Amino acid sequence: MKLIKFLSCVLSLVFISSYVYAITVIVPNGGEGDGLRAAAKDYTALTGVEVEFVQAPYEQVFDKAANAANTKSGSYDIVLMDDPWIPFFAENGHLAEMGPYFDALGVDGPDNDFLGKSMAICRNPYNSGPYVCIPYVGNAQMFFYNTAAFAEAGLDGPPADWDSVHAAMQKISASGSFGYVLRAQEGNPVVAQYMPIFWSFCGKLFDENRNATVNSPEGMKALEFFLKLRDVSPPGAASMNQEETGQYILQGMAKSTINWPNWVTNFEDPSQSNVVGEMTYAAIPSGDCAGSSEIGHWALGIASASKNQQAAFDFIHWASSKEQIDISAGRGNPPVRFSTFTNPELTSQAKFRHFPVLMEAINYSTPRPRHPKWPELEQVFGVYLSKAVAGVMSPKEALDKANAELDKILK
Amino acid sequence: MFSVFSADKYLRFYLIIPAIVLLLLLTLFPIVYILYFSFFEYSSNVDVPHQFIGLENFKRLFVDEAFHNALKNTIFFTVVAVSIEFALGLGFALLVMNFIEKVSIIKTILLIPMMIAPIAVAITWKFLYAPFVSPFNHLMMKLGQAPILFTSDVKLAMPSIIFVDIWQWTPFIFLMMLAGLASLPKEPYEAAQIDGASAWQQFRDLTWKFLQPVIIITLLLRIMDAFRLFDQVFILTRGGPASVTDTLSFHIYKVAFRFWDIGWAAAMSLFMLAVTLTISIWFVGKLNVEK
Amino acid sequence: MLKNNLKKPIVFLSIVFALLYTLFPFLYMISVSFKVKKDIFAMPPKYFNFNPTLEHYWYTFFDQIPFFKFMINSFIVTSVSTILALIIGTLAGYSLSRFRYPGTLKYHIAFWILSTRMMPPIIVVIPIFIFFSYFNLVNTRLALIIAYTAFNIPFVTWMMRSFFLDIPKELEESAMVDGDTRMGSFRRIILPLAKPGLAATSIFCLILAWNEFLFAVILTETEASNTVTFAIALGVSQYQANWGYMAASSTISVIPIIIFAFIVQKHLVRGLSFGAMKG
C-alpha cells in the first residue's frame, strides 16, 4: 500500500504540466532570437497573449522545426527561419499560406514598405506565388573593411573591384596583420562566404535545365580567387565559422571580411571590440560581373501543422509592423522596411551608418536557389569547397566532384 | 502485494515480464520501423508519398563515399583511442597499484572525467581547443605564433577528438585494471620469484594471463562505446573539417535530421546494428552466462 | 634497492601529474565562468588577475533561460526513471538469478537484455520519436522517463542478478520452510541484504539519466521537458558561442555528479563492469 501511495505521488510529479501558452515560437540563439523575444514581451503586455519561446543553436532550429513538420506534431506555431531553409519548408507544404489571413484584414498582402527583394523570398514560387512568411531580419552580406588599414595600403575610395582590393590585402598581410579573414567551415558557412564571390565572377549554380554548373570556367575562376583570399587570411580558414572570424576582426588582427550585418553591432560595441568606429561597411566588390551579396533574411512563418494559426498570424503581423521593425532595428537586427532604413533617428547614429549601404545591398542581392533540397545541396557543396580551402583537394577536383554530387541530388 | 504471486509456478515469468515489455518497446519497434523504411525513399513533402525503392539503400552501402569515410573514421578512432587508453590505463595501474589503495580520494578524483556528462566533457575541451580562449593558444600567441586550430586543422582534428576520449576514459581502464590487479593470487608470484623469474617474465606469464577476463570485459565495453561516439563530434567539430571527424553516429544523425533521407539513414543504422550485435554476442559469450 | 628508492618518487610524481591533468580542464572552465566577456578573450590572458563576476550565473538562472525549470525537469526525469528501473530491473534480476527456465531460454533472454544496452542510441532515436508522437508524448517528461527507464533496465537487471547470486539461496529456502512465501522472503530477507547493490546501481542510473544528451535534445522541444544537458548545448551557436554561459551551465551540471562520484566510489568497479567483477 505504501508503495502504491509512493508511486502515485511520484507519478503525479510527472504530470504537473506547465502553463499552457497561446503560441510557441522557435528561434535561434543570438541577436535575431533575442530581438523577437524582447518584442514578444511587449506583445504579451499589450494583448495578454502568452508567447513561449524555444531558443536553440542555429543548426538545431532547422532540425527541430523540420522534425516537428515531418511528424506533424504542431509543437511550434511560428518558426523564425533562415532564408536557405525557406524553400524546404515552403515546397514541402510545411508553411501555412498567409493569403487568407491578409484577406481577413482586408488587404492584399504585406504593405509596400517592405523592400522588394525582402518580400520576394517569402513567396513560393519565388517572387510570384502566395506569401508563406514575412521577412523580419534584413540580412544581406556586406564587405567590412578597416578604413585606415586599407587607405594605407593604397585603396583610394570605396572598394570597387576585387583586383584592387586584393592588392591592398596582400600589402596588409605582408606587414603583420591579415588582409582578410575567410570563413570556410564546411557546409553553410563556406557556401555563404563563397556565393558573393562566385556571383561576382559570373558563376551560376544551375543552368535552365537544373543541371549543376559549379565547375564552369567562371566557377573555376571564382574558386581560384577564393583561394587567393585564403592566402591572405589567418591559417585554419577551413574550419572557421562566425565566432572565429568575428574575433579576428574584433581584435583588429584581420582587416576585412565578408559578413552579415548583425555583426555591426558587435564591431561597434566597446565592451567587445577593439575597432569601434574604424570599420567601413561597403557593397561587395565586383569581379567580371557586378558584385552581389547573398540575401540571408530571417523570416517568420506559420507552421501548417499549427493549431493556433490565427493567433500566430496576429503576432507576426504585429511584430513586422513599422513601429516594431524600428524598435527591432534599434536592438541591432537589420530591418526589412524602407521607412526604417531611411529613418533619420536611426541613420543619424554612428552604429547605424551602414543602413544606406545595406539597403542597396539588399536591393541588388541575389537569393540562394529556391530548391527544397537546398540544405543537402549546400552541405555537399560546402564539404568540397572546404576541402579545396584546406588544400586536401585541388580546385578542379573539388569542383568536378561537387558538380557530380550536386547533379545526383538534383537528379 | 507480493503475496498474490507466492505459490505461482509462473512467478519467475511474472517478475521478468515488465522488463521484457519495456525493452521490446525500445528494441523491437524501432528495428521494425527501421527495417521498413530502409526500403523506401522518405519524402518530406506532405503531398508526396514515400517511394518504395527496394534494395537501393542497401546497395548504396557499398558505394557511398561519405558512408565509407564515416566508417573508416569510426574504426580508426576506435582502434587508436582504445589502444592508447588501454596502454596508459594498464601501465599506470601497474605503476601505482600498491600505493593508491590507501588514498581512495585520489582514485575518485581521477575518475571524475568519466562520470560527468559527455557533453560537459566536450564543452570543457571546447574551451581548451578554441583559438582565442585556450590557454595553449594564449601561449602560442605570446610566443608570436598563430593559434593552433585543434578542431579546425584537417590533420589535428581527429587527434584532438582522440585526446579528449583518452582524457575521459583512461580512468575507466585504470580502475578496472587496478581492481583486477588487486585480486591477483599471491602464490604464483612467490613461486616465480623463488624460481628467479624477472619482472617482465612475471608480467608476461602470470599477470597478463590472470588479467585476461578483466581485460576482455574492459576492452569490449570501451570498444562498444567508442564505436558509437557522438557527443564530442557534435560539440567540437560537427564532423569537420572536411569530414575527417565524421563518425558513423554523427553521419547517421546528419543524414536523418539534416537531409531527411530516413531510408538511407535506416540502412546505415541496420549496418551499425549488425556490427554491434556481432560484438555483443562475443562479449556475452565471454561473460559466462548460466544456461 | 635502488629501484625501490627510485620507484616511490616516480609513482608520486606520476600521480601528481595525473591529478593535474585530470583537474586542469575543469579548473580552467570554472575560471572562465567567472570572467567578464572581454577578459575571456583578453590578450595577454588573465588567469588570476581578473575581476570575478557572477554575471554568467545570473544570466543562466534569471535571465532569458529558464534554467531552474530545466533543473527541475532533469531532477524529475532522473529520479522517476531510476526508481522505475530499479523496481522492474530488480525483479527481473531476481528472476534470472534464482529460477530455472525451460531450455536455453534464460541464456537468450539474458543476452537480449544485455544487447539492448549495446545499441547505439542514434539508431533508435527517430522511431522512438515517431512512436511517442503518435501518442502525443513528444515534449513531455513522461517520454524521457520511459526512454531512460528502458535504457537503465538492462544495467539494473545484470547488476542485481550479480548481487543476488552472491546471496546464498539457503536464506530464502529456510525462510520458506518456516512458512514464509517466496516473495515474502524476498522482501524481508533478500532485499535488505541487497541494499548496497541497490544503492550502487541506483547511482549509476541517476548518472546516466542526468547526463543523457541525444534523447534529451530530440524528444524535447520546449521548457515543458527540456533538461539540463539540452540547456548546456544552448550556448553553442553558429554565430557567437556564449562562452561564459557554456562555462557556467556546464559547471552547474557537473557538480551533482562530482558529489555522486564521492558517494559511489566503493561500488564503481562493480557497476562499470556490469556486475561481472567485484571491486
Side-chain angles (χ1 to χ4, degrees), chain A residues 8 16 19 55 93 239 371:
Chain A
S8 46
I16 296 174
Y19 191 98
Q55 236 175 345
S239 210
H371 192 287

Side-chain angles (χ1 to χ4, degrees), chain A residues 3-16, chain C residues 80:
Chain A
L3 187 62
I4 294 184
K5 264 206 220 153
F6 174 69
L7 276 179
S8 46
C9 222
V10 149
L11 283 173
S12 64
L13 267 181
V14 170
F15 290 106
I16 296 174
Chain C
V80 175

Side-chain angles (χ1 to χ4, degrees), chain C residues 10 40 55 63 67 79 94 128 168 186 190 248 270:
Chain C
I10 291 182
I40 298 179
E55 70 180 47
D63 187 17
F67 205 78
S79 40
Y94 184 65
I128 298 248
F186 174 74
I190 306 296
R270 195 145 194 188

